[in-house]
Every structure is written in structure tokens, then in C-alpha cells.
Amino acid sequence: MVRDPDLNRDIVTLGFVQNLSIKGSDVSFDLVLTTPSCPVRDQFVVECERAIRTGIQGVGRVDVRLSSSVTSHVNTQKEAILRA
């Protein structure tokens, strides 16, 4: 599980993982962060790949596409925190 260190919630619950695709043994998805200058963006990519390879046997390529969307995730994060 990959957690946002500031919000202490997993990135799937926060809505950061989008457009998940599994084709054969290859996995790809968009990792949509709240800011393009996220200080842990590279750490997230490494942790995402590690989590996928640890949790699913036989994974081939893992493609994590980084992007950011400030407005959509601010509301998603607030809602996730309020639900917890």
C-alpha cells in the first residue's frame, strides 16, 4: 500500500490512481498528484512499482504516468479525510 505522507491515507482512496490498465502482464496507470511540484513524486513512483510487483506475481512492465490536478484532488482529499 502506498500512503501519502501528509494525509496518512493510501493513494487509491485519495483518488490519485486513475485510468488503470492491465494488458497481458503489463500494468499502467495515471498517478494524479495535487501539485506538479510534489516533493515525494519520485518516491511515489518507486513505491507504486514496488507495491504492484510485490502484490501481483508475474507482472511485466509497470508504467506510472505522473500528472497533477490541483482542483479535483483537493475535494477528493477532504472527502476521504472526512469519511475516515
Side-chain angles (χ1 to χ4, degrees):
M1 179 182 311
V2 180
R3 298 179 80 77
D4 182 289
D6 293 329
L7 300 172
N8 198 29
R9 300 279 189 274
D10 72 275
I11 62 171
V12 173
T13 300
L14 290 169
F16 292 1
V17 176
Q18 299 179 12
N19 304 313
L20 176 65
S21 175
I22 301 172
K23 293 183 180 172
S25 63
D26 297 337
V27 177
S28 64
F29 60 92
D30 297 331
L31 183 57
V32 184
L33 304 174
T34 57
T35 176
S37 60
C38 177
V40 293
R41 63 186 284 139
D42 295 332
Q43 177 184 340
F44 274 157
V45 172
V46 170
E47 289 182 18
C48 285
E49 183 167 350
R50 183 180 305 128
I52 290 168
R53 292 192 183 283
T54 301
I56 305 169
Q57 291 184 343
V59 170
R61 196 180 85 196
V62 176
D63 182 22
V64 181
R65 297 176 300 268
L66 290 171
S67 65
S68 62
S69 177
V70 176
T71 55
S72 68
H73 283 297
V74 170
N75 291 334
T76 302
Q77 288 176 349
K78 287 179 183 175
E79 290 170 10
I81 291 169
L82 291 174
R83 283 193 305 260

